[in-house]
Amino acid sequence: MRQRRRVGAYGVCRRDDGRVLLVRGSASAQFPGIWQLPGGGVDHAEHPVHAVVREVTEETGLTVEVAGLRAVVADVIPFPAADVALHTDRLVFDLTVVGGALRDERAGTTDEARWFTTDEAAGVPLMPFTAELLGLPVAPLPASAAGPAAFPEQPADRRLRFGAYGLVTDPAGRVLLTMIAKGYPGAGRWHLPGGGTDHGEQPVPALLRELVEESGQLGRVTELIGVDNLHNPAAFGPEGRPLDWHGGVVYRVTVDVPTEPRVTELAGGSTAEAAWFAPDQVDGLRLSEIAAWSMGRRVG
């Protein structure tokens, strides 16, 4: 099967009585008649926070604000008729309703929006990621659930890339940073350990894999910090093609038994070196945007 990727932004909206907002796939959706959290695909270069606000308003008529990032999950769903295995990275936000009136979407990929109790949600067909986030039993979608999905060829000048990065510290309070190698966007800057996730890979395992490859450290993820949009239309990768740096999810990671950092061949050439830095040493470094953002510093 052909491998395709997609990034989606979704929201958990709850009323004071505990009911959660769900929407149902229309006849033109990838999965007609299946209920899920409101949200949808992130447009090219769009920040996921803006995407979820836009999508929820389009599908439900409600105006929402983002209260925080709840979870980041990934799934792969096959579409045999199209010979495509679709990997979707799903960013799930907690939302607060601040205005609007609930209504169904007109002529879109959803056809009904409704508030559900947990018991009511358990009685309707749910997308697996939605069931998981609501704490309900997860059932795989039957092959017959897929609608007439279209997967047009991707533009030659774009490459969707979803990354998982770590703000990595040790018991002494040092932070681990990696230097971006020559030929890659941001070359010469100190960056967070991590990188692009592979097709079918969850973000946390991807980050821990990258941490070993780029520095030889064994870490444990302790917290989801947030998401930043890394789109840079001027960035070219080593192959000479533009990269769509579509999203960067940042986790807090602890290395309980730090060792001397060592870049392995498995890092793929994008990392020139890795090193531990005391907090007072970080201020003098040239940092990548996401490293500076995660540590509350300016890009030098």
Side-chain angles (χ1 to χ4, degrees), residues 4 34 52 59 65 70 97 112 128 134 155 168 221 226 252 278:
R4 290 295 176 85
I34 307 297
V52 71
E59 294 178 350
E65 290 181 349
R70 171 180 287 245
V97 177
E112 187 174 350
L134 297 181
V168 181
V221 172
R252 194 176 302 279

Side-chain angles (χ1 to χ4, degrees), residues 50-141:
H50 301 157
V52 71
V53 171
R54 170 183 57 77
E55 284 280 349
V56 171
T57 299
E58 290 175 0
E59 294 178 350
T60 71
L62 299 175
T63 305
V64 297
E65 290 181 349
V66 172
L69 181 61
R70 171 180 287 245
V72 184
V73 296
D75 54 59
V76 178
I77 299 177
F79 291 82
D83 191 37
V84 164
L86 178 64
H87 172 122
T88 304
D89 294 290
R90 303 184 191 271
L91 299 148
V92 183
F93 296 89
D94 286 314
L95 304 178
T96 302
V97 177
V98 295
L102 186 65
R103 55 132 178 93
D104 299 333
E105 186 176 14
R106 301 174 181 84
T109 56
T110 69
D111 59 12
E112 187 174 350
R114 192 197 312 170
W115 294 100
F116 284 82
T117 66
T118 300
D119 288 343
E120 289 169 342
V124 298
L126 295 173
M127 287 291 291
F129 84 96
T130 296
E132 180 181 3
L133 285 160
L134 297 181
L136 295 172
V138 177
L141 293 170

Side-chain angles (χ1 to χ4, degrees), residues 141-217:
L141 293 170
S144 59
F151 298 92
E153 291 299 321
Q154 301 299 301
D157 62 345
R158 291 181 188 172
R159 183 188 303 173
L160 177 61
R161 186 177 187 276
F162 187 85
Y165 300 89
L167 180 56
V168 181
T169 57
D170 70 359
R174 297 182 302 172
V175 62
L176 179 70
L177 297 174
T178 59
M179 180 175 285
I180 301 172
K182 183 178 179 180
Y184 289 83
R189 292 186 179 271
W190 289 97
H191 191 39
L192 297 182
T197 63
D198 293 336
H199 192 275
E201 192 173 33
Q202 295 285 345
V204 168
L207 168 57
L208 296 180
R209 170 183 56 77
E210 290 275 354
L211 180 60
V212 172
E213 294 174 358
E214 295 179 347
S215 67
Q217 308 299 303

Side-chain angles (χ1 to χ4, degrees), residues 69 71-72 89-91 162-167 192-193 195 203 207 224-230 247-251 290 293:
L69 181 61
V72 184
D89 294 290
R90 303 184 191 271
L91 299 148
F162 187 85
Y165 300 89
L167 180 56
L192 297 182
L207 168 57
L224 175 59
I225 296 177
V227 60
D228 194 21
N229 187 26
L230 299 181
V249 181
V250 181
Y251 295 87
I290 198 166
W293 171 79

